[in-house]
Coordinates of all heavy atoms in Angstrom, one line a residue:
M1 N -66.1 25.8 19.6 CA -66.5 24.7 20.4 C -65.4 24.5 21.5 O -64.2 24.4 21.2 CB -66.6 23.5 19.6 CG -67.1 22.3 20.3 SD -67.6 21.1 19.0 CE -67.4 19.6 19.9
L2 N -65.8 24.3 22.7 CA -64.9 24.1 23.8 C -64.6 22.6 24.0 O -65.4 21.8 23.8 CB -65.5 24.6 25.1 CG -65.7 26.2 25.2 CD1 -66.5 26.5 26.5 CD2 -64.4 26.9 25.2
Y3 N -63.4 22.4 24.4 CA -63.0 21.0 24.7 C -63.6 20.6 26.0 O -63.6 21.2 27.0 CB -61.4 20.9 24.9 CG -60.9 19.6 25.2 CD1 -61.0 18.5 24.3 CD2 -60.4 19.3 26.4 CE1 -60.5 17.3 24.6 CE2 -59.9 18.0 26.8 CZ -60.0 17.0 25.8 OH -59.6 15.8 26.1
K4 N -64.3 19.5 26.0 CA -65.1 19.0 27.1 C -64.5 17.7 27.7 O -65.2 17.0 28.4 CB -66.5 18.7 26.7 CG -67.3 20.0 26.3 CD -68.7 19.7 25.8 CE -69.3 21.0 25.4 NZ -70.5 20.8 24.7
G5 N -63.2 17.5 27.4 CA -62.6 16.3 28.0 C -62.7 15.1 27.0 O -63.3 15.2 26.0
P6 N -62.1 14.0 27.4 CA -62.1 12.8 26.6 C -63.5 12.2 26.3 O -64.4 12.3 27.2 CB -61.3 11.8 27.3 CG -60.8 12.4 28.6 CD -61.4 13.8 28.6
D7 N -63.8 11.8 25.2 CA -65.1 11.2 24.8 C -65.2 9.8 25.4 O -64.4 8.9 25.1 CB -65.2 11.1 23.3 CG -66.5 10.6 22.8 OD1 -67.2 10.0 23.6 OD2 -66.7 10.8 21.6
P8 N -66.2 9.5 26.3 CA -66.3 8.2 26.9 C -66.4 7.1 25.9 O -66.0 6.0 26.1 CB -67.6 8.3 27.7 CG -67.8 9.8 27.9 CD -67.2 10.5 26.7
E9 N -67.1 7.4 24.7 CA -67.2 6.3 23.7 C -65.8 5.9 23.1 O -65.6 4.7 23.0 CB -68.1 6.8 22.6 CG -68.5 5.8 21.6 CD -69.6 6.3 20.6 OE1 -70.6 6.9 21.0 OE2 -69.3 6.1 19.4
I10 N -65.0 6.9 22.9 CA -63.6 6.6 22.4 C -62.8 5.8 23.5 O -62.1 4.9 23.1 CB -62.9 7.9 22.0 CG1 -63.6 8.5 20.8 CG2 -61.4 7.7 21.8 CD1 -63.1 9.9 20.4
Q11 N -63.0 6.2 24.7 CA -62.3 5.5 25.8 C -62.7 4.1 25.9 O -61.9 3.2 26.1 CB -62.4 6.3 27.1 CG -61.6 7.6 27.0 CD -61.7 8.4 28.3 OE1 -62.7 8.4 29.0 NE2 -60.6 9.0 28.7
L12 N -64.0 3.9 25.8 CA -64.5 2.5 25.9 C -64.0 1.7 24.7 O -63.7 0.5 24.9 CB -66.1 2.5 25.9 CG -66.8 2.6 27.2 CD1 -68.3 2.7 27.0 CD2 -66.5 1.3 28.0
R13 N -63.9 2.3 23.6 CA -63.4 1.6 22.4 C -61.9 1.2 22.6 O -61.5 0.1 22.3 CB -63.6 2.4 21.1 CG -63.1 1.7 19.9 CD -63.3 2.5 18.6 NE -63.0 3.9 18.7 CZ -61.7 4.4 18.5 NH1 -60.7 3.6 18.3 NH2 -61.5 5.7 18.6
R14 N -61.2 2.1 23.1 CA -59.7 1.9 23.4 C -59.6 0.7 24.4 O -58.7 -0.1 24.3 CB -59.0 3.1 24.0 CG -58.8 4.2 22.9 CD -58.1 5.3 23.5 NE -57.9 6.4 22.6 CZ -57.7 7.6 22.9 NH1 -57.6 8.0 24.1 NH2 -57.6 8.6 21.9
I15 N -60.4 0.8 25.5 CA -60.4 -0.3 26.5 C -60.7 -1.6 25.9 O -60.1 -2.6 26.1 CB -61.3 0.1 27.7 CG1 -60.7 1.3 28.5 CG2 -61.5 -1.1 28.6 CD1 -61.6 1.9 29.5
G16 N -61.8 -1.6 25.0 CA -62.2 -2.8 24.4 C -61.1 -3.4 23.5 O -60.9 -4.6 23.5
E17 N -60.5 -2.5 22.7 CA -59.4 -3.0 21.8 C -58.2 -3.6 22.6 O -57.7 -4.7 22.2 CB -58.9 -1.8 20.9 CG -59.9 -1.4 19.9 CD -59.5 -0.1 19.2 OE1 -58.5 0.5 19.6 OE2 -60.2 0.4 18.3
A18 N -57.9 -3.0 23.6 CA -56.8 -3.5 24.5 C -57.2 -4.8 25.1 O -56.4 -5.7 25.2 CB -56.3 -2.4 25.5
S19 N -58.4 -4.8 25.6 CA -58.8 -6.1 26.3 C -58.9 -7.3 25.4 O -58.7 -8.4 25.8 CB -60.2 -5.9 27.0 OG -61.2 -5.8 26.1
N20 N -59.1 -7.0 24.1 CA -59.1 -8.1 23.1 C -57.7 -8.7 23.0 O -57.6 -9.8 22.4 CB -59.6 -7.6 21.8 CG -61.1 -7.3 21.8 OD1 -61.8 -7.8 22.6 ND2 -61.5 -6.4 20.8
R21 N -56.7 -8.1 23.4 CA -55.3 -8.6 23.4 C -55.0 -9.5 24.5 O -54.1 -10.3 24.5 CB -54.3 -7.5 23.3 CG -54.5 -6.5 22.2 CD -54.3 -7.1 20.8 NE -53.1 -7.8 20.5 CZ -52.0 -7.2 20.0 NH1 -51.9 -6.0 19.7 NH2 -50.9 -8.0 19.8
L22 N -55.8 -9.4 25.6 CA -55.5 -10.3 26.8 C -55.5 -11.8 26.5 O -54.7 -12.5 27.0 CB -56.5 -9.9 28.0 CG -56.1 -8.7 28.7 CD1 -57.3 -8.3 29.7 CD2 -54.8 -8.9 29.5
P23 N -56.5 -12.3 25.8 CA -56.5 -13.7 25.5 C -55.3 -14.2 24.7 O -54.9 -15.4 24.9 CB -57.8 -13.9 24.7 CG -58.7 -12.8 25.0 CD -57.7 -11.6 25.3
E24 N -54.7 -13.3 24.0 CA -53.5 -13.7 23.2 C -52.3 -14.1 24.2 O -51.5 -14.9 23.8 CB -53.0 -12.5 22.3 CG -53.9 -12.2 21.2 CD -53.4 -11.0 20.4 OE1 -52.2 -10.9 20.2 OE2 -54.2 -10.2 20.0
I25 N -52.3 -13.4 25.3 CA -51.2 -13.7 26.3 C -51.2 -15.1 26.7 O -50.1 -15.7 26.8 CB -51.4 -12.8 27.5 CG1 -51.1 -11.3 27.1 CG2 -50.5 -13.2 28.7 CD1 -51.4 -10.3 28.2
A26 N -52.3 -15.7 27.0 CA -52.3 -17.1 27.4 C -51.7 -18.0 26.3 O -50.8 -18.9 26.6 CB -53.8 -17.6 27.7
Q27 N -52.1 -17.9 25.1 CA -51.5 -18.7 24.0 C -50.0 -18.4 23.8 O -49.2 -19.4 23.7 CB -52.3 -18.5 22.7 CG -51.9 -19.4 21.6 CD -52.1 -20.9 22.0 OE1 -53.2 -21.3 22.4 NE2 -51.1 -21.7 21.9
L28 N -49.6 -17.2 23.8 CA -48.2 -16.9 23.7 C -47.4 -17.4 24.8 O -46.3 -17.9 24.6 CB -48.0 -15.3 23.6 CG -48.6 -14.7 22.3 CD1 -48.5 -13.2 22.5 CD2 -47.8 -15.1 21.1
A29 N -47.9 -17.4 26.0 CA -47.2 -17.9 27.2 C -47.1 -19.4 27.1 O -46.0 -20.0 27.3 CB -47.9 -17.5 28.5
E30 N -48.1 -20.1 26.6 CA -48.1 -21.5 26.5 C -47.1 -21.9 25.4 O -46.4 -23.0 25.5 CB -49.5 -22.1 26.2 CG -50.4 -22.1 27.5 CD -51.8 -22.4 27.2 OE1 -52.2 -22.7 26.0 OE2 -52.6 -22.4 28.1
D31 N -47.0 -21.0 24.4 CA -46.0 -21.3 23.3 C -44.6 -20.8 23.6 O -43.7 -20.9 22.8 CB -46.5 -20.6 22.0 CG -47.8 -21.2 21.4 OD1 -48.1 -22.4 21.8 OD2 -48.4 -20.6 20.6
K32 N -44.5 -20.2 24.8 CA -43.2 -19.7 25.4 C -42.6 -18.6 24.5 O -41.4 -18.5 24.3 CB -42.2 -20.9 25.6 CG -42.8 -21.9 26.5 CD -41.7 -22.9 27.0 CE -42.3 -24.0 27.9 NZ -43.3 -23.6 28.9
K33 N -43.5 -17.7 24.0 CA -43.1 -16.6 23.2 C -43.0 -15.4 24.1 O -43.9 -14.5 24.1 CB -44.0 -16.4 22.0 CG -43.9 -17.6 21.1 CD -44.8 -17.4 19.8 CE -44.7 -18.6 18.9 NZ -45.5 -18.4 17.7
W34 N -42.0 -15.3 25.0 CA -42.0 -14.4 26.1 C -41.8 -12.9 25.6 O -42.4 -12.0 26.2 CB -40.8 -14.7 27.0 CG -41.0 -16.1 27.5 CD1 -40.2 -17.2 27.3 CD2 -42.1 -16.7 28.3 NE1 -40.7 -18.3 27.9 CE2 -41.9 -18.0 28.5 CE3 -43.3 -16.1 28.8 CZ2 -42.8 -18.8 29.2 CZ3 -44.1 -16.9 29.6 CH2 -43.9 -18.2 29.8
S35 N -41.0 -12.7 24.5 CA -40.9 -11.3 24.1 C -42.2 -10.8 23.5 O -42.5 -9.6 23.6 CB -39.8 -11.3 23.0 OG -40.1 -12.0 21.9
Q36 N -43.0 -11.7 22.9 CA -44.3 -11.2 22.4 C -45.3 -10.9 23.5 O -46.1 -10.0 23.5 CB -44.9 -12.2 21.4 CG -44.1 -12.3 20.1 CD -44.7 -13.3 19.2 OE1 -45.9 -13.6 19.2 NE2 -43.8 -13.9 18.3
V37 N -45.2 -11.7 24.6 CA -46.0 -11.4 25.8 C -45.6 -10.0 26.3 O -46.5 -9.1 26.6 CB -45.8 -12.4 26.9 CG1 -46.5 -12.0 28.2 CG2 -46.4 -13.8 26.5
Q38 N -44.3 -9.8 26.5 CA -43.8 -8.4 26.9 C -44.2 -7.3 26.0 O -44.6 -6.2 26.4 CB -42.3 -8.4 27.1 CG -41.8 -9.3 28.2 CD -42.1 -8.8 29.6 OE1 -42.7 -7.7 29.8 NE2 -41.7 -9.5 30.6
G39 N -44.2 -7.6 24.7 CA -44.7 -6.6 23.7 C -46.1 -6.2 23.9 O -46.4 -5.0 23.8
I40 N -47.0 -7.1 24.2 CA -48.4 -6.8 24.4 C -48.5 -6.0 25.7 O -49.3 -5.0 25.8 CB -49.2 -8.1 24.4 CG1 -49.3 -8.7 23.0 CG2 -50.7 -7.8 24.9 CD1 -50.0 -10.0 23.0
I41 N -47.8 -6.4 26.7 CA -47.9 -5.7 28.0 C -47.4 -4.3 27.9 O -48.1 -3.4 28.4 CB -47.0 -6.4 29.1 CG1 -47.6 -7.8 29.4 CG2 -46.9 -5.6 30.4 CD1 -48.9 -7.8 30.1
T42 N -46.3 -4.0 27.2 CA -45.8 -2.7 27.1 C -46.5 -1.9 26.0 O -46.5 -0.6 26.1 CB -44.3 -2.7 26.8 OG1 -44.0 -3.4 25.7 CG2 -43.5 -3.3 28.0
G43 N -47.0 -2.5 25.0 CA -47.7 -1.8 23.9 C -49.2 -1.5 24.2 O -49.5 -0.6 24.9
P44 N -50.1 -2.4 23.6 CA -51.5 -2.1 23.8 C -52.0 -2.0 25.2 O -52.8 -1.2 25.6 CB -52.2 -3.2 23.0 CG -51.1 -4.0 22.4 CD -49.8 -3.5 22.8
L45 N -51.4 -2.9 26.1 CA -51.9 -2.9 27.5 C -51.3 -1.7 28.3 O -51.8 -1.3 29.3 CB -51.7 -4.2 28.1 CG -52.5 -5.4 27.4 CD1 -52.2 -6.7 28.1 CD2 -53.9 -5.1 27.4
G46 N -50.1 -1.2 27.8 CA -49.6 0.0 28.4 C -50.5 1.2 28.1 O -50.7 2.0 29.0
T47 N -51.0 1.2 26.9 CA -51.9 2.3 26.5 C -53.2 2.1 27.3 O -53.8 3.1 27.7 CB -52.2 2.2 25.0 OG1 -51.0 2.3 24.3 CG2 -53.2 3.3 24.6
L48 N -53.6 0.9 27.6 CA -54.8 0.6 28.4 C -54.7 1.2 29.7 O -55.6 1.9 30.2 CB -55.0 -0.9 28.5 CG -56.1 -1.4 29.5 CD1 -57.5 -1.0 29.0 CD2 -56.0 -2.9 29.7
L49 N -53.5 1.1 30.4 CA -53.4 1.7 31.7 C -53.5 3.2 31.7 O -54.1 3.8 32.6 CB -52.0 1.3 32.3 CG -51.8 -0.2 32.6 CD1 -50.4 -0.5 33.1 CD2 -52.8 -0.6 33.7
Q50 N -53.0 3.8 30.7 CA -53.1 5.3 30.5 C -54.6 5.7 30.4 O -55.1 6.6 31.1 CB -52.3 5.8 29.3 CG -50.8 5.7 29.5 CD -50.1 6.1 28.2 OE1 -50.7 6.0 27.1 NE2 -48.8 6.4 28.3
T51 N -55.3 4.9 29.6 CA -56.7 5.2 29.4 C -57.5 5.0 30.7 O -58.4 5.8 31.0 CB -57.3 4.3 28.2 OG1 -56.5 4.6 27.0 CG2 -58.8 4.6 28.0
M52 N -57.2 3.9 31.3 CA -57.9 3.6 32.6 C -57.7 4.7 33.6 O -58.6 5.1 34.4 CB -57.5 2.2 33.1 CG -58.0 1.1 32.3 SD -57.4 -0.5 32.9 CE -58.0 -0.5 34.5
N53 N -56.4 5.1 33.7 CA -56.1 6.2 34.7 C -56.9 7.5 34.4 O -57.4 8.1 35.3 CB -54.6 6.5 34.7 CG -53.8 5.4 35.4 OD1 -54.3 4.6 36.2 ND2 -52.6 5.3 35.1
S54 N -57.0 7.8 33.1 CA -57.8 8.9 32.7 C -59.3 8.8 33.1 O -59.9 9.7 33.6 CB -57.6 9.1 31.2 OG -58.5 10.1 30.7
V55 N -59.8 7.6 32.8 CA -61.2 7.3 33.0 C -61.5 7.3 34.5 O -62.5 7.9 35.0 CB -61.7 6.0 32.4 CG1 -63.0 5.5 32.9 CG2 -61.7 6.0 30.9
A56 N -60.6 6.7 35.3 CA -60.8 6.7 36.8 C -60.7 8.1 37.4 O -61.5 8.4 38.3 CB -59.7 5.8 37.4
S57 N -59.9 8.9 36.8 CA -59.8 10.3 37.3 C -61.0 11.0 37.0 O -61.6 11.8 37.9 CB -58.6 10.9 36.6 OG -58.5 12.3 37.0
L58 N -61.6 10.8 35.8 CA -62.8 11.5 35.4 C -64.0 11.0 36.2 O -64.9 11.7 36.6 CB -63.1 11.3 33.9 CG -62.2 12.2 33.0 CD1 -62.5 11.7 31.6 CD2 -62.5 13.6 33.2
A59 N -64.0 9.7 36.5 CA -65.1 9.1 37.3 C -65.1 9.6 38.7 O -66.2 9.8 39.3 CB -65.0 7.6 37.3
G60 N -63.9 9.9 39.2 CA -63.8 10.5 40.5 C -64.2 9.7 41.7 O -64.5 10.2 42.7
T61 N -64.3 8.4 41.5 CA -64.7 7.5 42.6 C -63.6 6.6 43.0 O -62.7 6.2 42.2 CB -65.9 6.6 42.2 OG1 -65.4 5.7 41.2 CG2 -67.1 7.4 41.6
K62 N -63.6 6.3 44.3 CA -62.6 5.4 44.9 C -62.7 4.0 44.2 O -61.7 3.4 43.9 CB -62.7 5.3 46.4 CG -61.7 4.5 47.0 CD -61.8 4.5 48.5 CE -60.8 3.7 49.3 NZ -60.0 2.7 48.7
G63 N -63.9 3.6 43.9 CA -64.1 2.3 43.3 C -63.4 2.2 41.9 O -62.8 1.2 41.6
A64 N -63.5 3.2 41.1 CA -62.9 3.2 39.8 C -61.4 3.2 39.9 O -60.7 2.5 39.2 CB -63.3 4.4 39.0
K65 N -60.9 4.0 40.9 CA -59.4 4.0 41.1 C -58.9 2.7 41.6 O -57.8 2.2 41.1 CB -59.0 5.2 42.0 CG -59.2 6.5 41.4 CD -58.9 7.7 42.3 CE -59.2 9.0 41.6 NZ -59.0 10.1 42.4
D66 N -59.6 2.1 42.5 CA -59.2 0.8 43.1 C -59.3 -0.3 42.0 O -58.4 -1.1 41.9 CB -60.1 0.4 44.2 CG -59.8 1.3 45.5 OD1 -58.8 2.0 45.5 OD2 -60.7 1.2 46.4
A67 N -60.3 -0.3 41.2 CA -60.4 -1.3 40.1 C -59.3 -1.1 39.1 O -58.8 -2.1 38.6 CB -61.8 -1.1 39.4
A68 N -58.9 0.1 38.8 CA -57.8 0.4 37.8 C -56.5 -0.2 38.4 O -55.7 -0.8 37.7 CB -57.7 1.9 37.5
K69 N -56.3 0.0 39.7 CA -55.1 -0.5 40.4 C -55.0 -2.1 40.3 O -54.0 -2.6 40.2 CB -55.1 -0.1 41.9 CG -54.7 1.4 42.0 CD -54.7 1.7 43.5 CE -54.5 3.2 43.7 NZ -54.6 3.6 45.1
L70 N -56.2 -2.7 40.4 CA -56.2 -4.2 40.3 C -55.7 -4.6 39.0 O -54.9 -5.6 38.9 CB -57.6 -4.7 40.6 CG -58.1 -4.8 42.0 CD1 -59.6 -5.3 42.1 CD2 -57.2 -5.7 42.9
V71 N -56.2 -4.0 37.9 CA -55.8 -4.4 36.6 C -54.3 -4.1 36.4 O -53.6 -4.9 35.8 CB -56.7 -3.6 35.5 CG1 -56.1 -3.9 34.1 CG2 -58.1 -4.0 35.6
K72 N -53.9 -3.0 36.9 CA -52.4 -2.6 36.8 C -51.6 -3.7 37.5 O -50.6 -4.2 36.9 CB -52.1 -1.3 37.4 CG -50.7 -0.9 37.3 CD -50.4 0.5 37.9 CE -49.0 0.9 37.7 NZ -48.7 2.2 38.2
T73 N -52.0 -4.1 38.6 CA -51.3 -5.2 39.4 C -51.3 -6.5 38.6 O -50.3 -7.2 38.5 CB -51.9 -5.4 40.8 OG1 -51.9 -4.2 41.5 CG2 -51.2 -6.5 41.5
D74 N -52.4 -6.8 38.0 CA -52.5 -8.0 37.2 C -51.5 -8.0 36.0 O -50.8 -9.0 35.7 CB -53.9 -8.2 36.6 CG -55.0 -8.4 37.6 OD1 -54.7 -8.9 38.8 OD2 -56.2 -8.1 37.3
L75 N -51.4 -6.8 35.3 CA -50.5 -6.7 34.2 C -49.1 -6.7 34.6 O -48.2 -7.3 33.9 CB -50.8 -5.4 33.4 CG -52.2 -5.3 32.8 CD1 -52.4 -4.0 32.1 CD2 -52.5 -6.5 31.9
L76 N -48.8 -6.1 35.8 CA -47.4 -6.2 36.3 C -47.0 -7.7 36.6 O -45.9 -8.1 36.4 CB -47.3 -5.3 37.5 CG -47.3 -3.8 37.3 CD1 -47.3 -3.1 38.6 CD2 -46.1 -3.4 36.4
E77 N -48.0 -8.4 37.2 CA -47.8 -9.8 37.5 C -47.5 -10.6 36.2 O -46.7 -11.5 36.2 CB -48.9 -10.4 38.2 CG -49.1 -9.9 39.7 CD -47.9 -10.4 40.6 OE1 -47.4 -11.5 40.4 OE2 -47.5 -9.6 41.4
I78 N -48.2 -10.3 35.1 CA -48.0 -11.0 33.9 C -46.6 -10.7 33.4 O -45.9 -11.6 33.0 CB -49.0 -10.6 32.8 CG1 -50.5 -11.0 33.2 CG2 -48.7 -11.1 31.4 CD1 -51.6 -10.4 32.3
G79 N -46.2 -9.5 33.4 CA -44.8 -9.1 33.0 C -43.8 -9.8 33.8 O -42.8 -10.3 33.3
A80 N -44.0 -9.8 35.1 CA -43.0 -10.5 36.0 C -42.9 -12.0 35.7 O -41.9 -12.6 35.7 CB -43.4 -10.3 37.5
A81 N -44.1 -12.6 35.5 CA -44.2 -14.0 35.2 C -43.5 -14.3 33.9 O -42.8 -15.3 33.7 CB -45.6 -14.5 35.2
A82 N -43.7 -13.5 32.9 CA -43.0 -13.6 31.6 C -41.5 -13.6 31.8 O -40.8 -14.3 31.1 CB -43.5 -12.6 30.6
G83 N -41.1 -12.6 32.6 CA -39.6 -12.5 32.9 C -39.1 -13.8 33.5 O -37.9 -14.2 33.3
R84 N -39.9 -14.5 34.3 CA -39.5 -15.8 34.9 C -39.8 -17.0 34.0 O -39.5 -18.1 34.4 CB -40.2 -16.0 36.2 CG -39.9 -15.0 37.3 CD -40.5 -15.4 38.7 NE -41.9 -15.7 38.6 CZ -42.9 -14.8 38.7 NH1 -42.6 -13.5 39.0 NH2 -44.2 -15.2 38.7
K85 N -40.4 -16.7 32.9 CA -40.8 -17.7 31.9 C -41.8 -18.7 32.6 O -41.6 -19.9 32.4 CB -39.6 -18.5 31.3 CG -38.7 -17.5 30.5 CD -37.5 -18.2 30.0 CE -36.6 -17.5 29.1 NZ -36.3 -16.4 28.7
D86 N -42.7 -18.2 33.3 CA -43.7 -19.0 34.1 C -45.1 -18.8 33.4 O -45.9 -17.9 33.6 CB -43.8 -18.4 35.5 CG -44.8 -19.1 36.4 OD1 -45.6 -19.9 35.9 OD2 -44.8 -18.8 37.6
S87 N -45.3 -19.8 32.5 CA -46.5 -19.7 31.6 C -47.8 -19.8 32.5 O -48.8 -19.2 32.2 CB -46.5 -20.7 30.5 OG -46.4 -22.0 31.0
A88 N -47.8 -20.7 33.5 CA -49.0 -20.9 34.3 C -49.5 -19.6 35.0 O -50.7 -19.3 35.0 CB -48.8 -22.0 35.3
T89 N -48.5 -18.9 35.5 CA -48.8 -17.6 36.2 C -49.3 -16.5 35.2 O -50.2 -15.7 35.4 CB -47.6 -17.1 37.0 OG1 -47.3 -18.1 38.0 CG2 -47.9 -15.8 37.8
C90 N -48.7 -16.5 34.0 CA -49.1 -15.6 32.9 C -50.6 -15.9 32.6 O -51.3 -14.9 32.5 CB -48.2 -15.8 31.7 SG -46.7 -15.0 31.7
V91 N -50.9 -17.1 32.4 CA -52.3 -17.5 32.0 C -53.2 -17.1 33.1 O -54.3 -16.5 32.8 CB -52.4 -19.0 31.7 CG1 -53.8 -19.4 31.5 CG2 -51.6 -19.3 30.4
K92 N -52.9 -17.4 34.3 CA -53.8 -17.1 35.5 C -54.0 -15.6 35.6 O -55.1 -15.2 35.8 CB -53.1 -17.7 36.8 CG -54.0 -17.4 38.0 CD -53.3 -17.9 39.3 CE -52.4 -16.8 39.7 NZ -51.7 -17.0 41.0
N93 N -53.0 -14.8 35.5 CA -53.1 -13.4 35.6 C -53.8 -12.7 34.4 O -54.4 -11.7 34.6 CB -51.8 -12.7 36.0 CG -51.4 -13.0 37.4 OD1 -52.1 -12.5 38.3 ND2 -50.3 -13.7 37.7
A94 N -53.6 -13.3 33.2 CA -54.3 -12.8 32.1 C -55.8 -13.0 32.3 O -56.6 -12.1 32.0 CB -53.8 -13.5 30.8
D95 N -56.2 -14.1 32.8 CA -57.7 -14.4 33.1 C -58.1 -13.4 34.1 O -59.2 -12.8 34.0 CB -57.9 -15.8 33.5 CG -57.7 -16.8 32.4 OD1 -57.8 -16.4 31.2 OD2 -57.5 -18.0 32.7
K96 N -57.3 -13.2 35.2 CA -57.7 -12.3 36.3 C -57.8 -10.9 35.7 O -58.7 -10.1 36.1 CB -56.7 -12.4 37.4 CG -57.1 -11.6 38.6 CD -56.1 -11.9 39.8 CE -56.4 -11.2 41.1 NZ -56.7 -9.8 40.9
A97 N -56.9 -10.5 34.9 CA -56.9 -9.1 34.3 C -58.2 -8.9 33.5 O -58.8 -7.8 33.6 CB -55.7 -8.9 33.5
A98 N -58.6 -9.9 32.8 CA -59.8 -9.7 31.9 C -61.0 -9.5 32.8 O -61.9 -8.7 32.6 CB -60.0 -11.0 31.1
K99 N -61.1 -10.3 33.9 CA -62.2 -10.2 34.9 C -62.2 -8.8 35.6 O -63.2 -8.2 35.8 CB -62.2 -11.3 35.9 CG -62.6 -12.6 35.2 CD -62.4 -13.8 36.2 CE -62.7 -15.1 35.4 NZ -62.1 -16.2 36.1
D100 N -61.0 -8.4 36.0 CA -60.8 -7.2 36.7 C -61.1 -6.0 35.8 O -61.7 -5.0 36.2 CB -59.4 -7.0 37.4 CG -59.2 -8.0 38.6 OD1 -60.3 -8.4 39.1 OD2 -58.1 -8.2 38.9
L101 N -60.7 -6.1 34.5 CA -61.0 -5.0 33.6 C -62.5 -4.9 33.4 O -63.0 -3.8 33.3 CB -60.3 -5.3 32.3 CG -60.5 -4.3 31.2 CD1 -60.0 -2.9 31.7 CD2 -59.7 -4.7 29.9
E102 N -63.2 -6.0 33.3 CA -64.7 -6.0 33.2 C -65.3 -5.3 34.4 O -66.2 -4.4 34.2 CB -65.2 -7.4 33.1 CG -66.7 -7.5 32.6 CD -67.1 -9.0 32.4 OE1 -66.3 -9.7 31.8 OE2 -68.2 -9.3 32.9
K103 N -64.8 -5.5 35.6 CA -65.3 -4.9 36.8 C -65.0 -3.4 36.7 O -65.9 -2.6 37.1 CB -64.6 -5.5 38.0 CG -65.1 -6.8 38.4 CD -64.4 -7.4 39.6 CE -64.5 -8.9 39.8 NZ -63.6 -9.4 40.8
F104 N -63.8 -3.0 36.2 CA -63.5 -1.6 36.1 C -64.5 -0.9 35.2 O -64.9 0.2 35.5 CB -62.0 -1.5 35.5 CG -61.7 0.0 35.1 CD1 -61.3 0.9 36.1 CD2 -61.8 0.4 33.8 CE1 -61.1 2.2 35.8 CE2 -61.5 1.7 33.5 CZ -61.2 2.6 34.5
V105 N -64.8 -1.5 34.0 CA -65.7 -0.8 33.1 C -67.0 -0.6 33.8 O -67.6 0.5 33.6 CB -65.8 -1.6 31.8 CG1 -66.9 -1.1 30.9 CG2 -64.5 -1.6 31.0
K106 N -67.5 -1.6 34.5 CA -68.8 -1.5 35.2 C -68.8 -0.4 36.2 O -69.8 0.4 36.3 CB -69.2 -2.8 35.8 CG -69.6 -3.9 34.8 CD -70.0 -5.2 35.5 CE -70.3 -6.2 34.5 NZ -70.5 -7.5 35.1
V107 N -67.7 -0.3 37.0 CA -67.6 0.7 38.0 C -67.4 2.1 37.4 O -68.1 3.1 37.8 CB -66.5 0.4 39.0 CG1 -66.2 1.6 39.9 CG2 -66.8 -0.9 39.8
A108 N -66.6 2.2 36.5 CA -66.2 3.6 35.9 C -67.2 4.2 35.0 O -67.3 5.4 34.9 CB -64.8 3.4 35.2
F109 N -68.0 3.3 34.4 CA -69.0 3.9 33.4 C -70.4 3.7 33.8 O -71.3 3.6 33.0 CB -68.8 3.2 32.0 CG -67.5 3.6 31.3 CD1 -66.4 2.9 31.4 CD2 -67.5 4.8 30.6 CE1 -65.2 3.3 30.8 CE2 -66.3 5.2 30.0 CZ -65.2 4.5 30.1
Q110 N -70.7 3.6 35.1 CA -72.0 3.4 35.6 C -72.8 4.7 35.5 O -72.4 5.8 35.5 CB -72.1 2.8 37.0 CG -71.1 3.4 38.0 CD -71.4 2.9 39.4 OE1 -72.3 3.3 40.0 NE2 -70.5 2.0 39.9

């Protein structure tokens, strides 16, 4: 059997698992648990970025690549806000990341 590339179902599951961690960021930021916010950004959401880049590459569309960049920017903003201990910005960007991730899935898996 030849390798046919990553399984879209597995990639969707990985994206879903990582996106389930986004709502945790808001609560952790409000509780001022900055190291835990950073842990989510570098752990499960770091893996999310790798998966999204792979999916965007396979999709081969500018829309998928642009949508992946938006999510990456959102996650970088969360990390920067956590570094500044700015809970309001963390919460705002976590919400934005969730919405942008939803758009990415629609564009990449159409």
